Amino acid sequence: MHNLVARLFPICRSITGPGVRETLRILQEFIPIQIHEVPTGTPVFDWTVPREWSIRDAFIADSSGRRLVDFQRNNLHVFGYSTPIDRRMSLSELDEHLFSLPAQPDAIPYVTSYYKERWGFCLTHRQRLELKPDTYHVFIDSKLADGSLTYAECVFPGTTDQEIFLSTYICHPSMANNELSGPVVTTFIAKWIELIPRYYTYRVIFVPETIGSITYLSRHLDHLKKHVIAGFNISCVGDDRAFSCVSSRYGNTLADRIARHALRFISPNYITHSFLDRGSDERQYCSPGVDLPIVGLCRSKYGTYPEYHTSLDNLELVTPTGLAGGYEMVRCCLEALEGNFHYKVNCLGEPCLGKRGLYPTLSRKGSADTVKTMMDFLAYADGTNDLVSIAELIGVSVWELFPIVTQMKASGLISEFEV
Amino acid sequence: MHNLVARLFPICRSITGPGVRETLRILQEFIPIQIHEVPTGTPVFDWTVPREWSIRDAFIADSSGRRLVDFQRNNLHVFGYSTPIDRRMSLSELDEHLFSLPAQPDAIPYVTSYYKERWGFCLTHRQRLELKPDTYHVFIDSKLADGSLTYAECVFPGTTDQEIFLSTYICHPSMANNELSGPVVTTFIAKWIELIPRYYTYRVIFVPETIGSITYLSRHLDHLKKHVIAGFNISCVGDDRAFSCVSSRYGNTLADRIARHALRFISPNYITHSFLDRGSDERQYCSPGVDLPIVGLCRSKYGTYPEYHTSLDNLELVTPTGLAGGYEMVRCCLEALEGNFHYKVNCLGEPCLGKRGLYPTLSRKGSADTVKTMMDFLAYADGTNDLVSIAELIGVSVWELFPIVTQMKASGLISEFEV
Amino acid sequence: MHNLVARLFPICRSITGPGVRETLRILQEFIPIQIHEVPTGTPVFDWTVPREWSIRDAFIADSSGRRLVDFQRNNLHVFGYSTPIDRRMSLSELDEHLFSLPAQPDAIPYVTSYYKERWGFCLTHRQRLELKPDTYHVFIDSKLADGSLTYAECVFPGTTDQEIFLSTYICHPSMANNELSGPVVTTFIAKWIELIPRYYTYRVIFVPETIGSITYLSRHLDHLKKHVIAGFNISCVGDDRAFSCVSSRYGNTLADRIARHALRFISPNYITHSFLDRGSDERQYCSPGVDLPIVGLCRSKYGTYPEYHTSLDNLELVTPTGLAGGYEMVRCCLEALEGNFHYKVNCLGEPCLGKRGLYPTLSRKGSADTVKTMMDFLAYADGTNDLVSIAELIGVSVWELFPIVTQMKASGLISEFEV
């Protein structure tokens, strides 16, 4: 996964334009996504699809012609959606269009101006301090024109038309945790989904954040409300620090229960962020009237780590093990969902495990625990609890229960059903 | 308000009689209350309106004729509802009719005997210790005769006939926190209610405690049960110490939610007393079968401060700032109620605040917080929550939300409705 | 009760056979139990009634003929359901059939092999260490043959056919807390039930653990599900240490509420064990589909005390005071159930206690508390709460409320009803 992050890293993405398309074309090498274009000006809920932005080059050169700030070196140097300019100006005039972070003097900040037309450059604070009074050549070769918004989706049909929904975003330029970890982990998760036997149908989308999810919802809301039983917004899943989730509006959906159960299994110290700390597309999916059962999954959540939205969110912050942990977190949530049926024991009173050969034949260390877990599972297999509920009632994980469920089903001791 | 407390202070009130009438006549100078008389003997629920008590003079004089204990100096000196007497007796005979507080030797206690006929004097423990064997002239010129129970009410109509109910009591002689702070704050609140645009209809009553509220309920219960959405019993609201409320029977009415929200805003250290600590007319309003959504509002609650029910509950204990705080507490509860509608955002997904000019135009300190509060408000404006619930869900007060609600309503972004 | 424990102690009980019958015959001297026999091979839910086991003698003798391990001295020496044997063998062959506890070298452990045919001896670890290489005579004169499973029950009819259910077990050989304390306390409780005026019908059963309760349920489930409102499994109620209960599956039945209320009254430090710590017949009564409202009552629960399932669980561990406490615990639960009606005050507003003479006439220490309890009881006597709920809402025990209820009923102030 880290290689794919590295390959996508240099591309200058924005909420529309060629960077998104190039990114999605590369992901198409891995998974069968379909790419959709929505024309500029299309009304999408309370918004309108914006004009498409593209940029070829940009720099600030001093009077000697030396490029001091150069888009070719780092695409964060130019404001996202910056208007074009080709002028000479004094330092004091230029200075009003510069943005840097005094507290992080080696970081180039990430700034966009999607909804107000202006131009600007981001640079490290060290670079800024070195600028001397001079006549600067300021050049941005960008274009804001009618075009379209690009997103991609793929659907993996299952036995049922009930859906599990995954969403991630592809609109940030060269930053690794926010955001390339999201689409890359999601791509590899989609490859895994393709291979497994599926009870549920899976819908995976790659959209620009906010305007992309709003666009997608405006086209598919009825379908999603009817079919989606749980979903996850996958963002910032590539560093080696926290495991966390962002709760849905009331924190009480199936997705919330699954995420908390899976994250406790992965890392008992995981963090549950309130919906008040939302910030990615769960904002749209959990908005009033949309009301989808969707939870955000993150390692270090956007806004909580110092490198966030700067050039320091790079290929060192995101690591192979960090990405593997993010992948594991998502996979565990999906596994827990796939096995989350209701169970009912088929006999009255305690079942006779002995006559079915369900007692461990050799008494080894741990075998008593297995019998205890088995009996506890059966005690709460009363048809009112799904597997995650049973697991939480008896203090184990669903992964400890899966082999027991398989044995019990095979022996005819329990019935499995959906609610 | 302190001036009015001072003016009412000397009047000798009891649960019936001229003291109540004089008090209500003075309040009539401020607000349009109607005074009602209910004849002695009228059955009121499990009780009967008692005979009316009046007193002109009372004293204990020594054999030299010197008045040692004198009703003219402090009306607490005589038991409330004391029977008349005019006899000479020894100290030992007298002593059985004296009541003082050894632990508070400078306080005259407040004692009544409404439902058992007897006579008695209260005095400071210092006074009592000075009494020497002598023949004392004991004189009480009181009368217990058929008459009536007096109460007053005023109704301020609103847009709806749903009512907010305020009750306070006017049956204690010269004591300031319990009770004059109650009727005085309520009088000024009624003056304020008169001036404001009212969605709700307000009913404000001034009754003798217990028998008065029982009498009022016995005449108006059906109306109150049909119309009252929330109410407050206002008592002991004039000192500078605590802010507190007395919960309804199960602590789960709209009045409870409003009181807790308003008190947390006024004073984060406010005290919520359980219904088990009730003691004023919430006893009646929240009794089984009556079941009105009414909460007690107090500063230092009756029974919790050392001066309670003694002559030390005076014009020094109750202060202008204490009364202002009591007034503020009640006003905040009413403001919170008046604005407590349900809200539903009118678009799907996050609204585009920019196109409506709802983003702060200047980025000042705090403006990001306002946007955050605005977005959080909209996120929970899903029609299922009233404003107080939204405020508590997102961790702000309704006073922070009122201007946002006004803006959002003006922009058409939200619908307001009652449930 | 201790005498009866002592009399039953020497009998060699097992889940079937003459020991059970002899035990029940002795209990029949005290209470009118009916004894039932269920033939070997009868299907009972997921199980089958096993063959009947009896034993006359057993020993291990050394080559000199001296009995080193002798069933006549302690019936724990032989595995329960041991197959017969009469052979001479080396120590190393014998050793595979011996069981002792190195950590408790003076305790004979209790071992059974109900569902796998084998033979074995239990002995103290000290005894085991003294065994020298020799040719041992191993003799077990036992028989496993078709017969029947024996249990007993008695029913004490009440005013209503709603039932309170008590269950205890009679299948362990010479151990005192687990189990003789259970049937002995239950016997004396049954004697008490016989004498009291009964609103509820009481059903008391004495069964072998697990297979006995399964057998009983398989014959009476429909009746029990229709009539039983609460019940208790009585086990390990004879030592002087803890008071505890084992919750039902979700800990939310009437029996749970009653047990917790009564145990808090008996001993504020009582222990509530989760259903995950179940181990006696509550396993059957609370299993899915059976779903009876039954809770386990214990002093030191099986599995939690060091003498459990060894010869140290003897007539010293179980004491007269321990048994009295166990008896008291069960009696309190039944008393709380018998008085657990719903109450509704018959007047609106606070009742006038004075006119009914319900105020204490003399003001003594504590009388104010009684009035407070009386008023609090009336405040929550709104028809929605049973007596235990009222008691818990107002922070007293039902035993403090019983005399108040009697007074209030006599005065006509409250109505009593079932829900």
Side-chain angles (χ1 to χ4, degrees):
Chain A
M1 290 187 283
H2 201 261
N3 290 342
L4 181 55
V5 173
R7 184 174 161 199
L8 297 171
F9 194 77
I11 301 171
C12 183
R13 279 164 296 271
S14 183
I15 52 172
T16 58
V20 174
R21 286 190 198 98
E22 187 182 345
T23 300
L24 293 175
R25 262 194 306 271
I26 292 171
L27 299 185
Q28 251 176 343
E29 298 173 16
F30 295 82
I31 49 168
I33 48 175
Q34 271 199 293
I35 297 176
H36 300 271
E37 301 282 349
V38 183
T40 296
T42 306
V44 288
F45 290 161
D46 201 38
W47 304 71
T48 305
V49 172
R51 282 184 291 165
E52 190 175 321
W53 185 67
S54 56
I55 180 165
R56 267 177 304 194
D57 196 7
F59 60 81
I60 301 171
D62 63 15
S63 55
S64 76
R66 198 163 52 98
R67 291 186 171 206
L68 302 178
V69 174
D70 188 351
F71 171 79
Q72 303 300 342
R73 278 207 294 266
N74 192 317
N75 56 35
L76 294 176
H77 276 313
V78 181
F79 281 22
Y81 266 63
S82 187
T83 49
I85 189 162
D86 184 3
R87 281 216 302 118
R88 272 150 228 271
M89 61 185 69
S90 68
L91 176 57
S92 68
E93 189 184 353
L94 171 62
D95 196 62
E96 288 172 23
H97 295 267
L98 299 184
F99 194 67
S100 67
L101 298 171
Q104 290 177 291
D106 293 315
I108 308 166
Y110 167 54
V111 175
T112 65
S113 185
Y114 295 142
Y115 301 103
K116 185 182 164 189
E117 296 206 356
R118 57 177 167 173
W119 64 269
F121 281 87
C122 296
L123 67 175
T124 71
H125 202 61
R126 271 191 225 292
Q127 280 181 300
R128 189 174 189 173
L129 293 174
E130 283 165 13
L131 294 179
K132 297 190 177 69
D134 195 354
T135 298
Y136 288 97
H137 182 194
V138 175
F139 179 78
I140 301 179
D141 179 8
S142 67
K143 206 173 70 178
L144 196 57
D146 283 356
S148 59
L149 177 152
T150 314
Y151 71 84
E153 77 178 317
C154 51
V155 174
F156 302 100
T159 304
T160 171
D161 64 359
Q162 289 188 293
E163 291 186 8
I164 294 172
F165 181 76
L166 300 179
S167 176
T168 193
Y169 50 93
I170 35 82
C171 57
H172 288 58
S174 297
M175 286 175 297
N177 193 38
N178 184 35
E179 74 183 16
L180 285 170
S181 66
V184 167
V185 162
T186 306
T187 297
F188 279 78
I189 283 290
K191 280 164 65 76
W192 172 76
I193 290 169
E194 215 177 351
L195 296 173
I196 59 167
R198 292 178 297 272
Y199 178 70
Y200 293 107
T201 293
Y202 290 77
R203 180 176 299 267
V204 186
I205 72 170
F206 300 80
V207 293
E209 210 179 9
T210 306
I211 189 68
S213 52
I214 288 174
T215 299
Y216 191 84
L217 285 171
S218 74
R219 300 179 141 206
H220 299 284
L221 182 59
D222 288 348
H223 178 89
L224 297 175
K225 290 189 78 157
K226 196 167 157 203
H227 293 94
V228 172
I229 63 148
F232 303 99
N233 186 72
I234 298 163
S235 159
C236 302
V237 288
D239 73 331
D240 280 287
R241 295 178 290 206
F243 285 95
S244 66
C245 62
V246 182
S247 300
S248 72
R249 193 155 89 244
Y250 294 107
N252 60 357
T253 70
L254 176 57
D256 290 277
R257 292 172 53 229
I258 291 285
R260 290 191 298 255
H261 189 76
L263 266 69
R264 180 159 48 242
F265 176 69
I266 297 255
S267 165
N269 298 321
Y270 81 96
I271 299 159
T272 305
H273 295 287
S274 147
F275 189 61
L276 298 177
D277 297 323
R278 71 200 178 283
S280 182
D281 284 332
E282 63 277 354
R283 278 151 50 216
Q284 312 312 324
Y285 298 131
C286 300
S287 62
V290 174
D291 296 324
L292 292 172
I294 286 174
V295 155
L297 294 180
C298 303
R299 296 206 59 171
S300 291
K301 189 179 79 83
Y302 41 83
T304 68
Y305 58 97
E307 301 87 350
Y308 172 71
H309 271 196
T310 75
S311 56
L312 303 179
D313 186 346
N314 58 26
L315 295 166
E316 281 168 42
L317 177 69
V318 164
T319 65
T321 57
L323 291 163
Y327 174 88
E328 198 60 15
M329 168 169 59
V330 182
R331 195 173 62 76
C332 280
C333 287
L334 302 185
E335 275 184 1
L337 274 167
E338 274 284 332
N340 193 41
F341 291 96
H342 280 62
Y343 295 98
K344 192 163 186 345
V345 64
N346 289 328
C347 71
L348 291 166
E350 234 169 46
C352 180
L353 296 185
K355 76 177 186 190
R356 295 187 172 81
L358 293 173
Y359 272 119
T361 44
L362 263 179
S363 175
R364 320 159 274 221
K365 200 161 175 308
S367 67
D369 287 353
T370 303
V371 172
K372 165 93 174 115
T373 302
M374 204 182 276
M375 297 309 281
D376 285 349
F377 165 72
L378 291 172
Y380 287 92
D382 57 16
T384 70
N385 303 307
D386 60 15
L387 194 68
V388 167
S389 293
I390 296 178
E392 305 229 320
L393 280 164
I394 72 176
V396 302
S397 77
V398 293
W399 290 272
E400 287 173 76
L401 293 181
F402 285 149
I404 290 173
V405 167
T406 303
Q407 256 189 317
M408 299 284 127
K409 269 165 46 181
S411 74
L413 245 181
I414 55 169
S415 304
E416 176 178 282
F417 58 98
E418 247 192 279
V419 173
Chain B
M1 289 187 283
H2 200 261
N3 290 342
L4 181 54
V5 172
R7 185 173 162 199
L8 298 171
F9 193 79
I11 301 169
C12 182
R13 280 163 296 272
S14 183
I15 52 172
T16 59
V20 174
R21 287 189 198 99
E22 189 182 343
T23 301
L24 293 175
R25 263 195 306 271
I26 292 171
L27 298 186
Q28 251 176 343
E29 297 172 17
F30 294 82
I31 48 168
I33 48 177
Q34 271 199 293
I35 297 175
H36 300 271
E37 301 282 350
V38 184
T40 296
T42 305
V44 288
F45 290 159
D46 202 38
W47 303 72
T48 305
V49 171
R51 281 185 294 164
E52 189 175 320
W53 185 69
S54 56
I55 179 165
R56 266 177 306 195
D57 198 7
F59 59 82
I60 301 170
D62 63 16
S63 54
S64 75
R66 197 161 54 96
R67 292 187 170 205
L68 302 178
V69 175
D70 188 351
F71 171 78
Q72 303 300 342
R73 279 208 294 267
N74 193 318
N75 56 34
L76 295 176
H77 276 313
V78 181
F79 280 23
Y81 266 64
S82 187
T83 50
I85 190 163
D86 184 5
R87 282 214 301 119
R88 271 150 229 273
M89 63 186 70
S90 68
L91 176 57
S92 70
E93 189 184 351
L94 172 60
D95 197 62
E96 290 174 20
H97 295 267
L98 299 183
F99 194 68
S100 67
L101 299 170
Q104 292 177 290
D106 294 315
I108 309 166
Y110 167 53
V111 175
T112 65
S113 185
Y114 296 141
Y115 301 102
K116 184 183 165 190
E117 296 206 356
R118 58 177 166 174
W119 65 267
F121 283 87
C122 296
L123 66 175
T124 69
H125 203 62
R126 272 191 224 293
Q127 281 180 301
R128 190 174 191 173
L129 293 175
E130 284 165 13
L131 296 179
K132 299 190 177 68
D134 194 354
T135 299
Y136 288 98
H137 181 193
V138 175
F139 179 79
I140 300 178
D141 180 8
S142 68
K143 207 175 68 180
L144 196 56
D146 282 359
S148 60
L149 176 151
T150 313
Y151 71 83
E153 77 176 316
C154 51
V155 174
F156 301 100
T159 304
T160 170
D161 64 359
Q162 289 187 292
E163 291 187 6
I164 293 170
F165 181 76
L166 300 179
S167 176
T168 192
Y169 50 93
I170 35 81
C171 58
H172 288 59
S174 296
M175 286 175 296
N177 194 37
N178 183 33
E179 74 180 16
L180 286 169
S181 66
V184 166
V185 162
T186 305
T187 296
F188 279 79
I189 283 290
K191 281 164 66 75
W192 172 76
I193 290 170
E194 216 177 351
L195 296 173
I196 59 167
R198 293 178 297 273
Y199 178 70
Y200 293 106
T201 292
Y202 290 77
R203 181 174 299 265
V204 185
I205 71 169
F206 300 80
V207 294
E209 211 178 8
T210 306
I211 189 68
S213 52
I214 288 173
T215 300
Y216 190 84
L217 284 172
S218 74
R219 300 179 142 208
H220 300 284
L221 183 58
D222 288 348
H223 178 89
L224 297 174
K225 290 188 77 157
K226 196 167 156 202
H227 292 95
V228 172
I229 61 148
F232 303 99
N233 186 72
I234 299 162
S235 160
C236 302
V237 287
D239 73 330
D240 280 288
R241 294 178 291 207
F243 285 94
S244 66
C245 62
V246 183
S247 300
S248 71
R249 192 154 90 247
Y250 293 106
N252 59 357
T253 70
L254 176 57
D256 291 276
R257 290 172 53 228
I258 291 285
R260 289 192 297 254
H261 188 77
L263 267 69
R264 180 159 49 240
F265 176 68
I266 297 256
S267 165
N269 298 321
Y270 81 97
I271 299 158
T272 305
H273 295 287
S274 147
F275 189 62
L276 297 177
D277 297 323
R278 71 201 179 282
S280 183
D281 284 333
E282 63 277 352
R283 277 151 51 218
Q284 313 310 327
Y285 299 131
C286 301
S287 63
V290 174
D291 296 324
L292 292 172
I294 286 174
V295 155
L297 295 180
C298 303
R299 296 207 58 171
S300 291
K301 189 179 78 86
Y302 41 83
T304 68
Y305 58 97
E307 302 87 351
Y308 173 70
H309 270 196
T310 76
S311 57
L312 304 180
D313 185 346
N314 58 26
L315 295 166
E316 282 168 41
L317 177 68
V318 164
T319 65
T321 56
L323 292 163
Y327 174 89
E328 197 61 14
M329 169 170 57
V330 182
R331 195 172 62 76
C332 279
C333 287
L334 302 185
E335 275 183 0
L337 275 167
E338 273 285 332
N340 193 42
F341 291 96
H342 279 63
Y343 294 98
K344 192 162 186 346
V345 65
N346 289 328
C347 71
L348 291 166
E350 235 170 43
C352 180
L353 296 184
K355 76 178 185 191
R356 293 186 174 82
L358 293 173
Y359 270 119
T361 44
L362 264 178
S363 174
R364 320 160 273 224
K365 202 163 175 305
S367 67
D369 287 353
T370 303
V371 172
K372 165 94 173 112
T373 302
M374 202 182 276
M375 298 309 282
D376 284 350
F377 165 73
L378 291 171
Y380 286 92
D382 57 16
T384 69
N385 303 305
D386 60 15
L387 195 67
V388 167
S389 294
I390 296 178
E392 306 227 320
L393 281 164
I394 73 177
V396 301
S397 78
V398 292
W399 289 273
E400 287 173 76
L401 292 182
F402 284 149
I404 290 173
V405 167
T406 304
Q407 255 189 317
M408 299 283 128
K409 269 165 47 180
S411 73
L413 246 180
I414 55 170
S415 303
E416 177 178 280
F417 58 98
E418 249 192 278
V419 173
Chain C
M1 290 186 284
H2 200 261
N3 290 342
L4 181 55
V5 173
R7 185 172 161 200
L8 298 171
F9 194 79
I11 302 169
C12 182
R13 281 164 294 272
S14 183
I15 52 172
T16 58
V20 174
R21 288 190 196 97
E22 187 182 346
T23 300
L24 293 175
R25 264 194 306 271
I26 292 171
L27 298 185
Q28 250 177 344
E29 296 172 19
F30 296 82
I31 49 168
I33 48 176
Q34 272 199 292
I35 297 175
H36 301 271
E37 301 282 351
V38 183
T40 296
T42 307
V44 290
F45 291 158
D46 201 39
W47 304 71
T48 305
V49 172
R51 283 185 291 166
E52 189 176 319
W53 185 68
S54 57
I55 179 164
R56 266 178 304 195
D57 196 7
F59 59 82
I60 301 170
D62 63 14
S63 54
S64 75
R66 195 162 54 95
R67 292 188 170 205
L68 302 178
V69 174
D70 187 351
F71 171 78
Q72 304 298 342
R73 278 208 295 265
N74 193 317
N75 55 35
L76 295 176
H77 277 313
V78 180
F79 280 22
Y81 266 64
S82 187
T83 49
I85 189 162
D86 183 5
R87 282 212 304 117
R88 272 151 230 272
M89 62 185 71
S90 68
L91 176 57
S92 68
E93 189 184 351
L94 172 60
D95 196 62
E96 289 173 21
H97 296 266
L98 298 183
F99 194 68
S100 67
L101 298 170
Q104 290 177 291
D106 293 314
I108 308 167
Y110 167 54
V111 175
T112 65
S113 185
Y114 295 142
Y115 302 101
K116 185 183 165 190
E117 295 206 357
R118 59 177 167 173
W119 65 268
F121 282 87
C122 297
L123 66 173
T124 70
H125 202 63
R126 271 191 225 293
Q127 280 181 301
R128 189 173 189 175
L129 294 175
E130 283 165 15
L131 296 178
K132 298 190 176 70
D134 195 355
T135 299
Y136 288 97
H137 182 194
V138 176
F139 179 78
I140 300 177
D141 179 7
S142 67
K143 206 174 71 179
L144 195 56
D146 283 356
S148 60
L149 176 152
T150 314
Y151 71 84
E153 77 177 316
C154 51
V155 174
F156 302 101
T159 305
T160 171
D161 65 357
Q162 290 188 290
E163 292 187 7
I164 293 170
F165 181 76
L166 300 179
S167 176
T168 193
Y169 50 93
I170 35 81
C171 57
H172 288 58
S174 297
M175 286 174 296
N177 194 37
N178 183 34
E179 74 182 16
L180 286 169
S181 65
V184 166
V185 161
T186 304
T187 296
F188 279 79
I189 282 290
K191 281 165 64 75
W192 172 76
I193 290 169
E194 214 176 353
L195 295 172
I196 59 167
R198 290 178 298 274
Y199 178 71
Y200 292 106
T201 293
Y202 289 77
R203 179 174 301 267
V204 185
I205 71 170
F206 300 79
V207 293
E209 210 178 9
T210 306
I211 189 69
S213 52
I214 288 173
T215 299
Y216 191 84
L217 284 171
S218 75
R219 299 178 142 209
H220 298 284
L221 183 59
D222 288 348
H223 179 89
L224 297 174
K225 289 188 77 155
K226 196 167 156 201
H227 293 95
V228 172
I229 62 148
F232 303 98
N233 187 71
I234 299 163
S235 160
C236 302
V237 288
D239 73 332
D240 281 288
R241 295 178 288 206
F243 285 95
S244 66
C245 62
V246 182
S247 300
S248 71
R249 192 156 89 247
Y250 293 107
N252 60 357
T253 71
L254 176 58
D256 291 276
R257 290 173 52 229
I258 291 285
R260 289 192 298 253
H261 189 76
L263 266 68
R264 180 158 48 239
F265 176 68
I266 298 253
S267 166
N269 299 321
Y270 81 97
I271 298 158
T272 305
H273 295 287
S274 147
F275 189 61
L276 298 178
D277 297 323
R278 71 200 179 282
S280 182
D281 284 332
E282 64 278 354
R283 276 152 50 218
Q284 312 311 325
Y285 299 132
C286 301
S287 63
V290 173
D291 295 324
L292 292 172
I294 286 175
V295 155
L297 294 180
C298 304
R299 295 207 59 169
S300 292
K301 189 179 79 85
Y302 42 82
T304 69
Y305 58 97
E307 302 87 350
Y308 172 71
H309 270 194
T310 75
S311 57
L312 303 180
D313 186 346
N314 59 26
L315 294 166
E316 281 169 41
L317 176 69
V318 164
T319 65
T321 57
L323 292 163
Y327 174 88
E328 198 60 16
M329 168 169 59
V330 182
R331 196 174 60 76
C332 280
C333 288
L334 302 185
E335 276 183 1
L337 274 167
E338 273 285 332
N340 192 42
F341 292 96
H342 279 63
Y343 294 98
K344 191 163 186 346
V345 64
N346 289 329
C347 71
L348 291 165
E350 233 169 46
C352 181
L353 296 184
K355 74 178 186 190
R356 294 187 172 82
L358 292 173
Y359 271 119
T361 46
L362 265 178
S363 174
R364 320 159 275 221
K365 200 162 175 309
S367 66
D369 286 353
T370 303
V371 173
K372 165 91 174 115
T373 302
M374 203 182 277
M375 299 309 282
D376 284 349
F377 165 72
L378 291 172
Y380 286 92
D382 57 16
T384 69
N385 303 307
D386 60 14
L387 195 67
V388 168
S389 293
I390 296 178
E392 305 229 321
L393 280 164
I394 73 177
V396 301
S397 78
V398 294
W399 290 272
E400 287 173 77
L401 292 182
F402 285 149
I404 291 173
V405 166
T406 304
Q407 255 189 317
M408 299 284 126
K409 268 165 48 180
S411 73
L413 246 180
I414 55 169
S415 303
E416 177 177 281
F417 58 98
E418 248 192 277
V419 172

